[in-house]
Amino acid sequence: MVGLVPLAGCINLEAPDEPIVIELNINITQEVIYRLADDAEDAIEENADIF
């Protein structure tokens, strides 16, 4: 433990020159298709004579 104390002063942290960019590509296709399927089912049930 005593041997680690001198190393504590050797750690330097610096902020990056450029900002950190986090890209979030979220795929919501499944939710949209599910909603469209529900809407289509309701439309078919309401207008059964058309289909």
Side-chain angles (χ1 to χ4, degrees), residues 2-51:
V2 176
L4 295 177
V5 173
L7 295 177
C10 298
I11 299 173
N12 294 326
L13 297 176
E14 295 181 17
D17 293 337
E18 298 178 9
I20 297 171
V21 177
I22 300 173
E23 294 184 25
L24 298 175
N25 296 322
I26 301 172
N27 188 351
I28 59 169
T29 305
Q30 183 177 4
E31 182 179 350
V32 171
I33 291 173
Y34 180 75
R35 287 184 184 174
L36 288 175
D38 281 348
D39 290 343
E41 184 179 349
D42 292 342
I44 292 170
E45 288 176 3
E46 291 172 3
N47 303 306
D49 55 332
I50 296 174
F51 298 98

